[in-house]
């Protein structure tokens, strides 16, 4: 029997909590006894530059890097980053995009055709207003946990397993906000 690997490609810009989301995903998989490998690229992250995290888990994982056309899920915390990395999702894979637009340094306006270009590549791409949901949960910095909730619908872990990993990773004073953000993200996208 072939080794089933699940590949999740998470992208966005610095300061959006991509690395925390990938750590929580890794914790959930590890708690289930799965082999996990993770690779991250922090391109000028502190200045709003592109950040990507490759998370691969399964029975036996030999490389932490997801190749183009291999990701089961592409979770983008920013729209332009979704378009930049969309070639990594496999045919039939899921694309979940935060509808937030963060204007890159040096650009005066945000390109108006991003949504259309994403849908040309993946017609059933799902858009989530994660910033509004994070504010509803209690803090705009919970965008990453909203997105984690959204893409958790497509991974074979229970809601309780996710919540335990979130509680173990976030500061104690923010647990309630983060759990609410997770639930709002799960409700925003149906599996």
């Amino acid at each position: 029997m072939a080794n089933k690997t699940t590949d999740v490609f998470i992208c966005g810009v610095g300061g959006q909590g991509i690395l925390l989301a990938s750590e929580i995903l890794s914790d959930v998989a590890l708690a289930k006894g799965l082999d996990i490998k993770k690779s991250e690229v922090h391109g000028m992250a502190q200045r709003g530059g592109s950040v990507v995290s490759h998370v691969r888990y399964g029975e036996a994982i030999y490389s932490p890097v997801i190749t183009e056309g291999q990701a089961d899920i592409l979770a983008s915390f920013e729209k332009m980053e979704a378009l930049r990395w969309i070639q990594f999702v496999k045919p039939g894979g899921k694309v979940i995009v935060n509808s937030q637009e963060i204007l890159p340094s040096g650009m005066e306006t945000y390109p108006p055709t991003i949504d259309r270009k994403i849908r040309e590549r993946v017609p059933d791409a799902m858009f989530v207003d994660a910033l509004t949901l994070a504010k509803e949960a209690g803090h705009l910095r919970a965008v990453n946990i909203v997105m984690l909730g959204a893409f958790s619908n497509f991974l074979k872990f229970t809601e309780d397993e996710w919540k335990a990993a979130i509680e173990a990773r976030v500061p104690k004073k923010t647990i309630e906000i983060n759990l609410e953000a997770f639930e709002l993200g799960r409700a925003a996208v149906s599996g």
Side-chain angles (χ1 to χ4, degrees), residues 83-134:
L83 187 59
R84 179 188 319 256
W85 300 104
I86 204 160
Q87 72 276 10
F88 278 83
V89 72
K90 70 181 184 184
K94 300 293 181 190
V95 174
I96 301 104
V97 182
N98 177 9
S99 60
Q100 187 175 2
E101 299 175 352
I102 300 173
L103 195 62
S105 178
M107 291 183 72
E108 293 185 23
T109 59
Y110 201 88
T113 59
I114 299 288
D115 291 26
R116 179 178 54 78
K117 289 180 178 180
I118 291 168
R119 285 220 162 91
E120 284 173 0
R121 297 287 301 273
V122 181
D124 64 349
M126 295 163 262
F127 289 81
V128 176
D129 186 352
L131 185 60
T132 296
L133 294 175

Side-chain angles (χ1 to χ4, degrees), residues 2-15:
N3 176 30
K4 171 60 177 131
T5 299
T6 300
D7 298 320
V8 181
F9 190 100
I10 306 171
C11 59
V13 298

Side-chain angles (χ1 to χ4, degrees), residues 23-37:
E23 288 292 331
I24 292 170
L25 170 56
S26 298
D27 290 348
V28 172
L30 196 58
K32 292 293 282 188
L34 298 168
D35 188 17
I36 180 150
K37 301 284 188 283

Side-chain angles (χ1 to χ4, degrees), residues 7-189:
D7 298 320
V8 181
F9 190 100
I10 306 171
C11 59
V13 298
Q16 286 190 294
I18 289 120
L19 304 181
L20 177 59
S22 69
E23 288 292 331
I24 292 170
L25 170 56
S26 298
D27 290 348
V28 172
L30 196 58
K32 292 293 282 188
L34 298 168
D35 188 17
I36 180 150
K37 301 284 188 283
K38 184 166 62 96
S39 176
E40 300 160 345
V41 178
H42 319 241
M44 297 299 286
Q46 62 274 42
R47 296 191 182 148
S50 186
V51 175
V52 300
S53 182
H54 302 240
V55 181
R56 305 186 71 225
Y57 63 86
E59 187 178 307
I61 304 298
Y62 301 103
S63 169
V65 178
I66 299 169
T67 58
E68 287 189 25
Q70 180 183 331
D72 297 289
I73 295 174
L74 176 106
S76 181
F77 291 20
E78 197 279 337
K79 287 198 310 189
M80 198 173 310
E81 292 300 311
L83 187 59
R84 179 188 319 256
W85 300 104
I86 204 160
Q87 72 276 10
F88 278 83
V89 72
K90 70 181 184 184
K94 300 293 181 190
V95 174
I96 301 104
V97 182
N98 177 9
S99 60
Q100 187 175 2
E101 299 175 352
I102 300 173
L103 195 62
S105 178
M107 291 183 72
E108 293 185 23
T109 59
Y110 201 88
T113 59
I114 299 288
D115 291 26
R116 179 178 54 78
K117 289 180 178 180
I118 291 168
R119 285 220 162 91
E120 284 173 0
R121 297 287 301 273
V122 181
D124 64 349
M126 295 163 262
F127 289 81
V128 176
D129 186 352
L131 185 60
T132 296
L133 294 175
K135 288 177 186 175
E136 185 180 327
H139 203 288
L140 59 87
R141 292 198 55 170
V143 163
N144 59 340
I145 305 301
V146 170
M147 290 299 294
L148 186 73
F151 74 76
S152 74
N153 284 298
F154 305 101
L155 299 172
K156 295 179 180 180
F157 303 113
T158 69
E159 193 168 342
D160 287 341
E161 291 166 339
W162 286 106
K163 288 180 177 182
I166 291 167
E167 288 180 20
R169 277 280 173 185
V170 301
K172 298 260 184 265
K173 65 182 180 182
T174 69
I175 288 174
E176 188 176 315
I177 290 169
N178 282 289
L179 292 177
E180 176 69 13
F182 178 78
E183 289 175 9
L184 290 170
R186 277 184 73 89
V189 174

